[in-house]
Every structure is written in structure tokens, then in C-alpha cells.
Amino acid sequence: MPVGDSMTIGSAGRHTWRYRIWRHLCATYDGPFTLVGPRETLYDETTDAPTSYAYAEPDFPRHHLAGWGEGWLHMAPLIGGAVRAHRADVLLVSLGLIDLGFYTNAEQTAQNARAFVAGAREARPGVRMVLLPVIPNIRAASDEAFAAQVTRFNELLAKTAADLDEPASPLLLASVPESYDIHTDTYDGTHPNAAGEHKLAAAFAGAMHQAWGLGGPYKAP
């Protein structure tokens, strides 16, 4: 189940890292799998709402739990029901930018991340999770106070992953690619373009392959 904000839901007419990770697993994972979640749509910039089905590649499992402008604050109360209803085995989570930008500070955001983990495990005790830190973005490049909050939250997220990891329900922290560049990997300083989508998919794929043997090394076409 992909879980995230605008970078995960994506917008009309575009691919997403969800699509890239699906293509990767189709090529490298030797077993049945699908993407699950209670939502299917993309964000439509013309209506300012998640109402579009205009995927650049429509023939893939579009299910997810992602929303434009949503963060840990919003997903923590939803994750238990979504995991229970859709029987998710693995959560791929990219959240935090929206929280820090509009709703909560680093410490509060980390507490919501912990609540998210607890809710997912209550619904499905054996669920596995991969958490992506907040990735580089244009606001952090120009706002020192916000950049400090991002750095602090990413530190706390790493601590959360270390504290809450357990054999029955493993919790991984993915690595943001060092080469990720807001000038070449996004189309607006925040949202990934094709190059950025591949790098986010590679971060999740690398974590799953190295820790659990799921799939293989990521190879962008």
C-alpha cells in the first residue's frame, strides 16, 4: 500500500513513483502481488480535488492511500482501517513535508508517525513498513527555519524506525538518494518528474530488497 501526500498521489496526466515501483516489482519479484488501498484517483489541478483517473499509464493497480495536502497528521487516524480493509502486507510511506509546512513541528510530527505505526500494527500485527524521510524540496532550500525542522524530523524518524522495529513487524527507513536534486528531479522544486519518480521508487525498492529480499536491485529503464 503506497501511503503519502502530493508526491505519492500524483496529478492528472503524470506517472507516479507508485507506477515505477509496480513496474520494478513486476520485473523482479517472483510471486503474486498488487498495490492496494482505499483510493484510486489522481489530483486534478483544474478542479483542485482528487477526481482524476487520467493516468499516464492506466493499466496498472492504481490503489493507494495518498492525498494532496495530507500528512502523518491525516493518515494516522486512517491507516488502521485501510490496512484492515485491504489486508496490506507492506506499507510504503512518504509523508512529513505537509505536516512540517502547515500543521505540526518536528516533534509533533514524529509522534504522529508513531501513532501511525501503532494503528497499522493494531490492524495487522505482521505488517511491514518502509518509511521515506522528507526529501529535498524548494522551501527547505530557501527557508532556514523550515529546513531545520526537516532535518530534525528526519532525525526523529530515524529514531522512530530504530525504536519501533521488531522482528514480527519490521520497520525500515529508506535512504533518500544523495543524487536527488530539486532542479533536475522535480518539475516545480517539490513534485518529482520522471527522474525523481525513479529515484523515489529506487529508495523503496532498495530497502525492501536489502532487508527482506523482496524484488531485486532497481534498474530504471
Side-chain angles (χ1 to χ4, degrees):
M1 181 185 292
V3 183
D5 51 28
S6 57
M7 291 178 282
T8 298
I9 186 174
S11 56
R14 297 184 181 277
H15 286 302
T16 63
W17 68 259
R18 297 185 279 121
Y19 169 71
R20 310 296 184 184
I21 194 72
W22 174 74
R23 287 291 303 271
H24 163 74
L25 290 172
C26 284
T28 63
Y29 181 64
D30 185 20
F33 79 96
T34 191
L35 303 184
V36 299
R39 304 175 184 176
E40 295 184 47
T41 56
L42 296 161
Y43 175 75
D44 190 332
E45 296 178 3
T46 63
T47 62
D48 192 26
T51 56
S52 176
Y53 289 88
Y55 281 85
E57 171 52 67
D59 297 328
F60 85 104
R62 299 173 296 186
H63 296 279
H64 62 82
L65 177 60
W68 202 277
E70 297 186 56
W72 291 104
L73 175 68
H74 307 85
M75 295 305 182
L78 301 180
I79 192 60
V83 167
R84 186 177 297 108
H86 298 277
R87 300 178 60 81
D89 295 313
V90 178
L91 305 180
L92 305 180
V93 188
S94 173
L95 291 168
L97 178 60
I98 294 299
D99 303 85
L100 299 172
F102 298 97
Y103 299 108
T104 52
N105 62 27
E107 287 74 19
Q108 293 165 332
T109 306
Q111 286 301 312
N112 287 330
R114 287 174 177 264
F116 176 102
V117 172
R121 285 175 169 168
E122 182 179 1
R124 197 164 177 83
V127 69
R128 293 187 273 187
M129 290 170 259
V130 185
L131 312 181
L132 185 71
V134 175
I135 64 174
N137 61 87
I138 194 168
R139 181 171 174 183
S142 60
D143 183 337
E144 290 186 9
F146 178 70
Q149 284 290 293
V150 169
T151 298
R152 176 59 177 156
F153 170 71
N154 283 345
E155 293 169 350
L156 293 172
L157 188 65
K159 178 173 171 46
T160 296
D163 289 348
L164 301 185
D165 181 38
E166 55 185 51
S169 176
L171 186 59
L172 301 178
L173 185 70
S175 298
V176 177
E178 292 184 3
S179 63
Y180 196 91
D181 187 327
I182 63 172
H183 302 291
T184 57
D185 294 323
T186 75
Y187 62 83
D188 62 358
T190 298
H191 300 95
N193 57 21
E197 290 167 0
H198 282 298
K199 289 182 178 180
L200 297 190
F204 284 115
M208 290 192 293
H209 174 62
Q210 292 168 20
W212 305 329
L214 293 180
Y218 190 86
K219 295 181 181 179

